[in-house]
Amino acid sequence: MLKRLRPLSLLAAVFSALSLASSGALAGWETNMTRGVTEISHEIYNLHMMMLYIVTVIGVLVFGVMFWAMFKFRKSKGAKPATWHENTRLEVLWTVIPLFILIGMAIPATMTLAKIYDTPDADVTVKIDGYQWRWQYTYLADSPDDEVSFFSALSTPRFEIRGEAEKSEWYLLDVDNPLVIPANTPVKFLITANDVIHSWWVPDFGIKKDAVPGIINESHTTVLETGTYRGMCAELCGRDHAYMPIVVEVVEPDEFEQWLAEQRGDTAAAGSETLNTAGQ
Amino acid sequence: MTAIPHDDHAHHGPAKGLWRWVVTTNHKDIGAMYLWLSFAMFLLGGAFAMVIRAELFQPGFSLVAPEFFNQMTTMHGLIMVFGAVMPAFVGLANYMIPLMIGAPDMALPRLNNLSFWILPFAFLILVSTLFMEGGGPNFGWTFYAPLSTTYGPPSTVFFILSMHIMGASSIMGAINIIVTIWNMRAPGMTWMKMPLFVWTWLITAFLLIMVMPVLAGLITMMLLDITAQTSFFNAAGGGSPLLFQHLFWFFGHPEVYIMILPAFGIISAIIPAFARKPLFGYASMVYATAAIAILSFFVWAHHMFTVGMPFAAQLFFMISTMIIAVPTGVKVFNWVATMIGGSMTFEVPMLFAIAFVVLFTIGGFSGLMLAIAPVDYQYHDTYFVVAHFHYVLVPGAVFSIMAGVYYWLPKWTGNMFHEGLAKVHFWMSFVGVNVAFFPQHFVGLAGMPRRIPDYPLQFANFNMISSMGAFLFGLSQLLFMFIVIKCVMGGKKAEAKPWEGAEGLEWDLPSPLPYHTFETPPEIK
Amino acid sequence: MSSSTHDKTPAYYVPESSRLPIAMAFTLFLLAWGGAGWLQQVAGIQENTSGVWIFSLGMILFAATLTIWFTKTSREHMAGLNSEQLQDSYRQCMKWFIVSEAMFFAAFFGGLFYVRFFELQWMAGEGAKAATGMLYEGFEYTWPLLVNPNPEAVPGPQEAMHWTIPLINTTLLITSSVTLTFAHHALRKEHRSGLKNWLLATIVLAVIFLGFQAYEYYEAYAHLGLTLDSGIYGSTFFILTGFHGIHVIMGTIILIALYFRVLKGHFTGPDHFGFEAGAWYWHFVDVIWVLLFFVVYIF
Ligand code: HEA
Ligand code: HEA
Ligand code: CUA
Ligand SMILES: [Cu+2]
């Protein structure tokens, strides 16, 4: 775990971190959203930064005026109270200007939203099932025999959780069987749950979709870079809600094909070795 | 108690001893009881929060088991929302509205006492669930089905029925407040002369009447799902867990405005008083409050952006939510404009009011960020949301209540509070609240989900800071308790109008207030 | 009555301290606490709770407190303590109470609307979340829903409820609204016998309605397999008609109480808030029924 202490006060840390954005994704002082590795996650990140800048500017202006008033119009400095208490022009102005600012925010937000809803034809479809407290991944295929299915559960050992051993780098973020998907390929997720509501979230993909029992939610992604990406269940789902992480290995497409073929050989084996340490 | 009271009933003082409080029909007694109950609940809910923050002080299984942690989170949310903030505002309404509009009491005094006395019983049931087999509610204050129905602990039934009577109390209280305002104003107290606290409460009471019954309907469906195997939230029988969320948030979003509109009213009384200048834009304040209330019925699904709604629905709820920034902005700008050109002093109520304006606005800004649907995919159910709503609720709602208490305490007790200690309380709270909740933005953005007792190492530093801030904030509330009790016991005598710039009928009355006020309506210029 | 004395009384009657509120709060506590224990037992979550006894005690005390409370207010009224303004407060209070009741029903209507026009469509593989259809092979959307999405887990009813009895019931309730209005007119004109008879007629119609409703429930359980646990159709059917039925029962009790007050000579042409409130409540219950009739039985 690298800890990069920045010699800055709390508030200043925000602003510095904003500019240093996604450097050191895992430093203990990380303060901002990840830029992620998909087109969507980049757009989300940009929207987030846009919002942050706009509200910061508005905040500085509004609070600036307020503090100026607080210093200028003090009784102790002999300020005499005025009696005016209305100004229609001003009031209209500060109703209309925010409205325009909001329109300015809504347009790019709508465009990104539309892009998220624009589903490409996917080459790979994975059905994701939330269980208390692990995930099941099923690679759908035309014939049921070709389907690959396995459970993915937390693999952080209990004694680390109990504090009987040094916590490892990926404490609470490691699973036994990660989800594997190809890079630069549209992948479709069909997300549902078996018992209670869970939520499948991988920040780097910009995907968070609730897994609702009895309903299937669709989502999709095209990951631009290979690597290992981690997330956590994001909807309270009972006792071990903190202990159902998500790990996705994004590999080159040919590597993926090879992996999938191997799995087809022994789905059953992969499925049975996933008894949840925390969940049982 | 005779069946037909004698004519001089109104000149009786209070009954003697503790019994007085049990049988009272006096709005000041009832208001005071609401406030004390709410403070007790604040300490209890705060104690639960301290357990949460202690567990999160460092990663790992340190203090409490996850089952218990979930109960703490749930009970903390429920107790703070329904036990601390709402009753505090109802208490202030009871105490102040009749005084502000020149009425002898609330419209229906016995109903008023009933509304109050239901609450201790309701919370008795709610808290007792913690000691039942299987523990108390552990499904979050939003109690989403099916976690709370099929998978809930046995005590869920007790939780539901306690919510039922609590809701009944809220509805009766709200009806009473509306009718009081509508019907009991002294002659000459026209609509547009009413203090803003009265206006905001009128609108809040309307929201309560509209949404508390929906909550009642919702928990009734839950009750049937649990006890009679109906299928409302069970997909196998054709029901839907999402129906639960739609109904919950139809209640839940107006509920959060129920917790902020009266705060706007209090702040709108305090800032002009200490700026010694009339409130800027009174009329637009009234319209903005109404606009916020109306809009609040059409934004509920912004809590559900990740449940997978159609594009058009996402867009609708995103935009309707964003629009709320306009009327809220009008309020903030009006407060600032009230200060400009004033002659300001910074006594404790004013300090809390100014902190409110700044910190609530910060909470509003993060709310606006949450409203952007595509970005909410990253924010939702993380500590960023926790930071958002604590900014609007703690330095928002709770600070406004404290500001109001400091503002009216001399009127209620006839004594001044200890100004120096109160300043210490303010600064400790101000620092504590920011140290506790600002870092939660960071861990949230960095990806820490909410409602977890344990977390990956990357979130450790800020969580420790946050916990320390929370402890500081919690400790300073004990100081608040001390200051209030000290003031009730005695102190420098307060004048009828202890704050030079204060406006309103309540300041024409002596401090402390006589038991009965405005038996004949006052003259309103 | 009140008009003759109310100049002398203070502008607004603020009652002395009263034991009624705490008694009422306590009975609600007993109802909630006992009710929860009892329901746990019914649901088989917990065995042998004493809930049913606590609940029953609560019910008795509740009824008693309520009776005393209303008797007391009506006595205060007869004693002329209620100024015009206070009566207006009562009237407004009743109106807002009815608004809150309407929102209570709105939750159930909203639920019905949601499952029919969103949820079940998705499950049948249509609309925005068509993929959901994957989970329910062969499920089709019909309303009334006889085959549930997962018929093994939740078997559906054999038959839907027919609309003939409800149609009769609709006529009964609409007629009762009319007779009650006649009674109200008679009261305004101080026709005591007309008032009595029309009020009685209303009560009779209400009781017949309840009889039919009970018969319908019997049919549903005995012959149609339409039960609370038969899936969403049964759930929405019973919650809407059930809560409406409870309201009719309460309304009938109110009407009967009004009848006895009429016999005692209460109410006058210009001054009859109790009657008016009861009548509003009754009309509200009728309006809900008409809505419900179309939504539950027809469409
Ligand atoms: C008092 C309570 C309160 C208040 C007032 C608000 C106010 C707002 N809230 Fe908040 N909210 C909560 C309490 C509150 N909220 C709670 C408790 C939750 C979580 C529930 C749970 O899940 O447990 C929540 C969650 C929540 C979510 C869901 C997040 C998620 O779960 O993913 C969203 C999303 O849209 C949201 C939005 C907003 C918005 C837009 C406002 C707006 O009203 C804010 C408007 C104010 C301003 C914008 C600042 C002042 C304005 C100006 C200075 C004008 C100029 C500004 C611009 C033009 C930018 N809130
Ligand atoms: C009005 C509402 C309100 C208020 C005032 C507060 C006040 C506080 N909240 Fe609140 N909180 C909610 C409403 C509120 N909260 C809601 C709705 C949720 C969501 C629940 C859910 O997810 O379902 C939540 C969730 C929530 C979480 C997230 C839990 C999780 O996701 O698992 C956290 C974590 O830090 C937290 C902390 C705090 C703290 C430190 C305070 C402090 O301000 C409290 C300070 C007060 C005191 C501490 C009491 C006084 C002192 C004593 C009793 C003496 C003891 C003191 C010491 C030992 C120092 N709250
Ligand atoms: Cu699964 Cu939280
Ligand atoms: Cu909201």
Side-chain angles (χ1 to χ4, degrees), chain B residues 57 401 417 446 485:
Chain B
F57 192 75
I401 293 163
F417 53 85
I485 292 177

Side-chain angles (χ1 to χ4, degrees), chain A residues 51 54-56 58-59 62-63 94-95 97-103 105 208 235, chain B residues 77 81 85 89 140-142 144 248-249 252-261 263-264 292 299-306 317-318 320-333 335 357-358 360-373 375-382 384-386 388-394 396-397 450-451:
Chain A
M51 292 297 297
I54 295 177
V55 297
T56 308
I58 299 176
V62 175
F63 304 148
W94 65 45
T95 310
I97 292 178
L99 204 60
F100 279 105
I101 299 177
L102 291 173
I103 294 172
M105 293 169 174
K208 184 185 285 135
E235 180 64 60
Chain B
V81 169
V85 172
F89 283 133
W141 86 284
T142 53
Y144 283 2
F248 181 85
W249 289 115
H253 185 81
E255 167 69 22
V256 307
Y257 289 145
I258 288 165
M259 292 189 284
I260 205 68
L261 295 184
F264 292 163
I292 293 172
V299 301
W300 76 87
H302 65 217
H303 296 271
M304 303 169 57
F305 283 141
T306 61
F317 287 109
M318 174 175 97
S320 60
T321 304
M322 292 173 75
I323 294 174
I324 296 193
V326 174
T328 318
V330 168
K331 290 190 161 286
V332 172
F333 300 140
W335 289 323
V357 174
V358 175
F360 167 79
T361 303
I362 291 177
F365 286 156
S366 58
L368 198 63
M369 295 169 76
L370 291 166
I372 308 294
V375 196
D376 184 64
Y377 294 166
Q378 297 285 38
Y379 302 139
H380 176 69
D381 259 322
T382 67
F384 190 78
V385 178
V386 176
H388 156 64
F389 67 74
H390 281 91
Y391 261 85
V392 281
L393 282 168
V394 184
R450 53 194 281 215
R451 295 166 169 169

